[in-house]
Amino acid sequence: MNIEIRNGRVIDPKNGVDRSISLFIAEGRVAALGEAPTGFAAGSIVDAAGCVVCPGLVDLGARLNSIQAELAAAVAGGVTSVVVPPDAVPPLDEPELADRLIHRAKEIGKARVLPLGALTVGLQGERLAELAGLRKAGCIAFSQAKVPVVDTEALLRAMEYAATFGFSVWLQPQDYWLSRNGIAHEGEVASRLGLAGIPVAAETIAIATILQLVRDTGCRVHLTRLSSAAGVVLVGAARDEGLPVTCDIGVHHLLLTEDDIGFFDPHARFCPPLRAQSDCQALSRAAATGLAAICSDHTPVGADDKLLPFGEAKPGATGLEVLLPLTLKWAAAAGVSLPAALDRITSAPAEVLGLASGQLTVGSVADVCIFDPHATWQLTAEALKSRGKNSPWTGCMMTGKVKATLVAGRVVYEG
Amino acid sequence: MHNPQLNRTGELIHLLSIDGLPQPVITQILDTAASFMEVSVRDVKKVPLLRGKSVFNLFFENSTRTRTTFEIAAKRLSADVINLDINRSSTAKGETLLDTIDNLCAMHANLFVVRHASSGAPYLIAEHLQRIGRDDVHVINAGDGRHAHPTQGLLDMYTIRHYKKDFARLRVAIVGDILHSRVARSDIQALTALGVPEVRAIGPETLLPKHLDKLGVQVFHDMNEGLRDCDVIIMLRLQNERMAGVLLPSAGEYFRHYGLTPQKLALARPDAIVMHPGPMNRGIEIHSAVADGPQAVILPQVTFGIAVRMAVMSIVAGN
Amino acid sequence: MPPLPSPLPDAEIQCRQLADLIRPHLHRRPALIGIFSGGAWIAERLKALLGLPENIGLIDVSFYRDDFAAKGLHPQVKPTVIPFDIEGRHLILVDDVLYTGRTTRAALNELFDYGRPASVALAVLADRGGRELPIGPAYCVWEVTLSAGESLELSRLDDGRLAWRLANA
């Protein structure tokens, strides 16, 4: 169906477009911006007055516990491509599991699913998973999710093997020994509240180890969910050195710190932990300068697993439906322009993935997000489509509401 | 952020931590405890304040000592006491903490005395009670993880006030494993709230939390330096798990550097008092000569503890 | 009962009058127990006026009041001190104003947790009526009616003299 989206402010960060023009879609692709292509007859006209029209969001980390609800949540949040970590139950270490996931997502027909395959069998960090087979089944890269590989030699060999095929490895930099007993950032708040701490060294030691292995193997690595100022410095230096390294930051870490733990609020328990104000500021600068992409790290957790004493609660928060409003909130506070902010959740993640998504270039697949940047809504359990209602923002007003989401030129969500 | 321990008019409804308690509230508790002291020396060691009320001792972490003192205190207030020892290593097995609370509320509990291995557990309970509208049920924290042991902090302050009268001139040293100690955190909060000008922490780097200076504490690694001219010395118990591992090499080396011997005690003021929350490890953190000596006030601490717990229960139950 | 006179009567004179009422009964060796704070001051006066050798007892009824559920614990509780053995003694319980009788009941309950006295007599400066319990004074100097919302309070002036104050409840 031919669609014209008119009256909206079209922002395409990849191509530096920020204009009030019409967007024309034909055969599931972007046909033109501004003037209708010759012979174009719109089957449907979408009025995007007061709204921003941008590429569909590309989320570098979202868990799909109950896939139907979570993919519906994704498009409700304007997310058209979701990278799924391999830490579901069972872990995604067999090609057949990847097949099934991709097939199921196609059936549901909402957001695209880009699975990460497990780097090692069962994520145990001992035996290599069948990386080539997983790739063939559709895995876009390989990851250990949040499970550190303890055996450095095993990590070296895994990266060597991945490099053989030119595969990318995604790792959350977290030293196993320094983080295994901790539940919060080793800082003032943990000292005062008596919470076992995870020092910044747990992240920097892991980053340093991984970077050295990158130098030795040439393997491309994406570092997920940075949490510290010192970590950002190391990644910046690695980029300057020309190492094939990229990174992302969870959107909650751009806005929250250890202080948000308050009176032991389990909704403020994250992995990696929320760190100090100075870390938050450094992460914000890293996202502002484009060193890091932004993702949701969507982790749905049921009340039974969240309403527990801090140290027993499962870490993580719902993210797919708040990625956009929280990114806008961060951008406003950090003085980052709207196009730059949108870049971090569209074209920048697409670049990490090496995919052609996250852009409105003529000819590209029409994954589009239409949102009202001024509309407010209250974050309540009822307002969320995700099964994960766990959020430190429950009851708060969010600014930025998705009006419509299109995947391959088809409307998959209308708000 | 609204402190869940206080109601809208600033009265104490739960005792979760000394952190955030206004100094007048702390003083009120100490003054009330003074009145309860004499109840314990009468023939009929009871007052009818909590008659008909049910106090549930919910101990998720074993402690016969603490549980017994709370039981005695509750009974001296004429309350009915029910003891629940819930040993669990994971909430995945059986009822969640909040389900347990709901069930006990349905049995008309009025006051929960809670000891839990996870820092923050009593806050979860207090917030839950507020959410379900049970403002007639009160929570007293009998120790949560490493975070707080507020009744111990209060009885330690009562002890200091009893022997030293004026907080404004004191040097107080806390010695030992402060990193893992909820007693130490509560003592530090109470001492700073009551205006003690010098609070010192003495221990090896591995047993002290980072950022102690932000809590108003001076850090000493040399016990001889740290004890100099102190008026009060609070010795902490060194738990077995800490000895002979990556935090400490041995009990022997610990005692040589951080054990309180008569020689080290002599560096403090001659009228300095020695305190210990108990139970003591003689020969590991404290020499028997000191524990049994004239400066030790460890047994009076226990007596004061009952009066302080009676005071806390009476105050929260009435608000 | 007669209404409130103006000016208010001299509390020191009333203490002397109260002592005169008690003096004929000293052969029973009564022990004085004053209820904080007004009763405690009056009991001090009585000890001096009657020439009693024994220290007076001081009682705080906060732990025995019947309004704990409604009002909570009083913010300033003072310790009860009874420096003699209650067992078998004749006691004179001293208070400033007798009203509903609930304070007296609380004091009696508390005293009986110390032992079994031979008898307890109540001595008050003022009886304002309005009794809610079957309690009466053995010794009373002044009967008076107050309006709703008024209350009589005994206070100690800077020079140590006791004086009445009228307050709005």
Side-chain angles (χ1 to χ4, degrees):
Chain A
M1 139 122 78
N2 289 358
I3 302 179
E4 177 189 342
I5 304 175
R6 62 159 72 147
N7 299 327
R9 176 184 171 189
V10 174
I11 300 182
D12 179 16
K14 174 107 181 155
N15 295 308
V17 174
D18 182 0
R19 287 158 56 201
S20 293
I21 45 172
S22 289
L23 180 69
F24 298 90
I25 296 171
E27 282 162 26
R29 291 186 179 270
V30 176
L33 272 79
E35 294 292 319
T38 32
F40 183 90
S44 151
I45 296 183
V46 176
D47 183 4
C51 290
V52 169
V53 179
C54 69
L57 277 58
V58 177
D59 194 345
L60 295 181
R63 285 162 184 79
L64 308 179
N65 298 8
S66 39
I67 187 171
Q68 185 121 20
E70 303 315 320
L71 289 181
V75 294
V79 174
T80 53
S81 296
V82 174
V83 175
V84 182
D87 60 356
V89 175
L92 210 159
D93 58 5
E94 278 170 16
E96 194 198 293
L97 294 170
D99 269 331
R100 239 187 272 159
L101 176 59
I102 294 174
H103 184 77
R104 185 82 185 94
K106 286 211 175 97
E107 271 185 336
I108 292 171
K110 294 205 186 266
R112 300 171 195 283
V113 162
L114 306 167
L116 290 170
L119 185 65
T120 60
V121 171
L123 297 172
Q124 301 281 351
E126 288 161 10
R127 279 173 46 211
L128 274 177
E130 285 187 0
L131 303 191
L134 285 163
R135 178 79 181 97
K136 192 143 174 276
C139 290
I140 48 128
F142 301 92
S143 164
Q144 283 286 118
K146 294 185 191 287
V147 185
V149 175
V150 183
D151 183 343
T152 342
E153 198 199 350
L155 184 59
L156 168 63
R157 302 299 167 215
M159 286 169 66
E160 271 180 347
Y161 189 74
T164 310
F165 298 92
F167 295 155
S168 189
V169 175
W170 290 34
L171 298 168
Q172 180 159 316
Q174 195 159 289
D175 180 76
Y176 170 76
W177 304 105
L178 292 174
S179 62
R180 76 191 191 288
N181 291 324
I183 57 180
H185 165 61
E186 187 177 80
E188 275 180 54
V189 171
S191 285
R192 183 168 53 84
L193 295 185
L195 299 173
I198 303 175
V200 166
E203 179 164 290
T204 51
I205 284 175
I207 293 177
T209 302
I210 294 168
L211 292 179
Q212 189 54 49
L213 295 179
V214 167
R215 287 185 196 101
D216 292 347
T217 62
C219 178
R220 278 185 301 131
V221 164
H222 177 72
L223 293 168
T224 60
R225 319 305 115 85
L226 291 190
S227 70
S228 71
V232 163
V233 168
L234 288 176
V235 176
R239 304 271 304 172
D240 290 340
E241 195 187 320
L243 295 181
V245 169
T246 52
C247 68
D248 69 53
I249 298 171
V251 71
H252 287 89
H253 286 69
L254 292 175
L255 292 162
L256 302 173
T257 66
E258 56 179 348
D259 294 317
D260 290 291
I261 293 177
F263 295 111
F264 301 94
D265 185 359
H267 294 103
R269 182 157 181 214
F270 286 87
C271 174
L274 297 173
R275 296 197 186 270
Q277 189 64 36
S278 51
D279 294 303
C280 186
Q281 279 160 2
L283 294 173
S284 179
R285 275 194 299 276
T289 58
L291 175 65
I294 300 172
C295 72
S296 73
D297 204 25
H298 178 72
T299 306
V301 178
D304 278 354
D305 289 320
K306 213 32 157 165
L307 285 184
L308 293 172
F310 192 86
E312 296 172 37
K314 280 214 178 105
T318 197
L320 284 168
E321 291 160 275
V322 295
L323 176 60
L324 178 63
L326 291 182
T327 300
L328 297 179
K329 186 177 164 75
W330 159 73
V336 170
S337 72
L338 183 53
L342 290 176
D343 167 78
R344 307 300 181 260
I345 49 178
T346 56
S347 38
E351 231 179 272
V352 167
L353 293 165
L355 296 177
S357 38
Q359 56 185 293
L360 297 175
T361 315
V362 171
S364 55
V365 174
D367 289 350
V368 181
C369 170
I370 304 172
F371 72 90
D372 181 345
H374 302 296
T376 56
W377 54 283
Q378 193 182 27
L379 204 167
T380 60
E382 298 72 37
L384 294 174
K385 289 197 159 33
S386 167
R387 291 267 176 88
K389 314 293 183 189
N390 46 313
S391 175
W393 306 97
T394 302
C396 295
M397 295 307 291
M398 298 277 117
T399 303
K401 198 170 193 327
V402 174
K403 292 297 180 191
T405 307
L406 290 82
V407 171
R410 209 170 33 89
V411 175
V412 292
Y413 172 76
E414 264 178 300
Chain B
M1 226 175 284
H2 171 63
N3 191 329
Q5 305 190 78
L6 305 173
N7 65 12
R8 303 248 158 258
T9 43
E11 295 166 322
L12 195 68
I13 49 172
H14 304 294
L15 182 66
L16 305 176
S17 167
I18 303 208
D19 195 0
L21 283 189
Q23 182 263 333
V25 170
I26 299 178
T27 307
Q28 182 204 358
I29 296 172
L30 300 183
D31 289 341
T32 308
S35 300
F36 279 116
M37 278 300 295
E38 69 77 33
V39 172
S40 301
V41 301
R42 306 193 311 206
D43 270 351
V44 176
K45 298 177 186 6
K46 257 190 211 285
V47 296
L49 276 173
L50 294 190
R51 202 161 69 99
K53 303 269 193 244
S54 297
V55 171
F56 282 71
N57 278 332
L58 257 129
F59 276 58
F60 294 86
E61 222 187 35
N62 261 334
S63 166
T64 318
R65 285 169 60 101
T66 307
R67 209 197 63 205
T68 306
T69 56
F70 272 103
E71 186 171 348
I72 293 174
K75 284 181 170 162
R76 293 211 176 142
L77 294 170
S78 305
D80 295 323
V81 178
I82 294 97
N83 289 314
L84 290 156
D85 279 331
I86 306 172
N87 270 317
R88 63 177 67 199
S89 52
S90 154
T91 49
K93 307 176 194 147
E95 225 174 31
T96 64
L97 173 59
L98 295 183
D99 278 342
T100 305
I101 296 296
D102 284 341
N103 279 322
L104 295 174
C105 284
M107 293 184 217
H108 307 294
N110 299 106
L111 209 146
F112 290 115
V113 175
V114 183
R115 169 166 284 199
H116 199 285
S118 290
S119 300
Y123 280 86
L124 190 72
I125 297 173
E127 265 149 31
H128 177 71
L129 290 171
Q130 204 216 6
R131 238 191 335 263
I132 61 175
R134 294 299 301 264
D135 57 0
D136 56 327
V137 183
H138 307 274
V139 181
I140 295 180
N141 182 6
D144 64 327
R146 301 179 192 178
H147 169 237
H149 194 354
T151 57
Q152 181 72 42
L154 289 166
L155 79 88
D156 286 347
M157 295 309 109
Y158 187 93
T159 306
I160 294 174
R161 193 171 84 161
H162 179 88
Y163 291 100
K164 294 292 171 188
K165 309 287 180 266
D166 185 9
F167 289 105
R169 289 178 219 284
L170 297 179
R171 267 193 198 97
V172 178
I174 304 176
V175 184
D177 183 1
I178 293 164
L179 178 61
H180 298 98
S181 171
R182 50 190 169 219
V183 173
R185 282 184 176 81
S186 285
D187 280 341
I188 290 169
Q189 300 282 1
L191 290 166
T192 47
L194 290 169
V196 169
E198 243 186 273
V199 180
R200 299 178 178 180
I202 305 174
E205 188 72 28
T206 47
L207 297 182
L208 298 180
K210 312 277 179 276
H211 309 284
L212 267 182
D213 54 316
K214 303 278 184 343
L215 297 177
V217 177
Q218 280 176 48
V219 172
F220 288 81
H221 296 308
D222 181 340
M223 191 173 181
N224 296 319
E225 274 310 301
L227 287 183
R228 208 170 292 282
D229 296 328
C230 279
D231 300 284
V232 178
I233 303 168
I234 301 176
M235 299 304 299
L236 298 176
R237 173 187 168 71
L238 189 68
Q239 289 169 295
N240 284 326
E241 311 82 274
R242 315 293 171 216
M243 307 179 226
V246 291
L247 297 174
L248 285 180
S250 68
E253 185 151 296
Y254 180 80
F255 183 69
R256 277 190 290 282
H257 287 271
Y258 298 102
L260 186 61
T261 58
Q263 294 78 8
K264 294 221 189 84
L265 179 56
L267 296 166
R269 297 179 67 89
D271 60 349
I273 54 172
V274 175
M275 295 167 52
H276 193 302
M280 289 186 284
N281 282 325
R282 289 165 182 267
I284 294 182
E285 68 256 6
I286 190 167
H287 192 288
S288 277
V290 175
D292 301 325
Q295 289 171 263
V297 299
I298 299 168
L299 289 176
Q301 277 177 276
V302 176
T303 311
F304 298 150
I306 296 180
V308 165
R309 283 160 181 140
M310 289 173 76
V312 170
M313 286 193 217
S314 314
I315 291 170
V316 300
N319 284 335
Chain C
M1 279 194 178
L4 200 59
S6 182
L8 295 170
D10 184 333
E12 292 288 351
I13 293 177
Q14 286 179 322
C15 282
R16 290 201 280 278
Q17 291 168 338
L18 190 61
D20 290 340
L21 290 177
I22 295 172
R23 200 167 284 110
H25 304 118
L26 288 180
H27 57 277
R28 299 202 296 183
R29 263 190 71 240
L32 295 176
I33 300 186
I35 302 179
F36 278 117
S37 340
W41 295 326
I42 299 167
E44 267 175 28
R45 287 284 181 280
L46 292 175
K47 170 179 158 37
L49 291 165
L50 296 169
L52 295 176
E54 204 171 23
N55 280 336
I56 60 174
L58 299 166
I59 196 171
D60 184 304
V61 299
S62 300
F63 299 152
Y64 288 80
R65 296 178 63 92
D66 61 10
D67 56 0
F68 175 71
K71 295 211 181 131
L73 195 61
H74 191 277
Q76 272 130 31
V77 179
K78 298 190 193 49
T80 293
V81 178
I82 315 276
F84 45 81
D85 190 0
I86 296 252
E87 202 67 26
R89 291 294 299 268
H90 294 282
L91 303 178
I92 299 183
L93 195 54
V94 184
D95 204 357
D96 47 5
V97 180
L98 174 60
Y99 182 19
T100 62
R102 290 177 191 273
T103 302
T104 311
R105 183 215 61 97
L108 284 172
N109 278 28
E110 183 162 0
L111 284 177
F112 274 78
D113 277 348
Y114 280 84
R116 187 180 180 278
S119 72
V120 182
L122 179 63
V124 294
L125 284 189
D127 175 353
R128 61 173 286 193
R131 213 78 78 238
E132 290 170 4
L133 298 174
I135 286 186
Y139 311 103
C140 172
V141 163
W142 178 32
E143 290 182 354
V144 61
T145 314
L146 297 173
S147 339
E150 278 181 333
S151 78
L152 262 181
E153 285 174 12
L154 193 68
S155 61
R156 189 148 66 178
L157 305 173
D158 291 334
D159 59 7
R161 281 187 309 130
L162 301 176
W164 287 113
R165 250 177 11 101
L166 190 65
N168 289 322

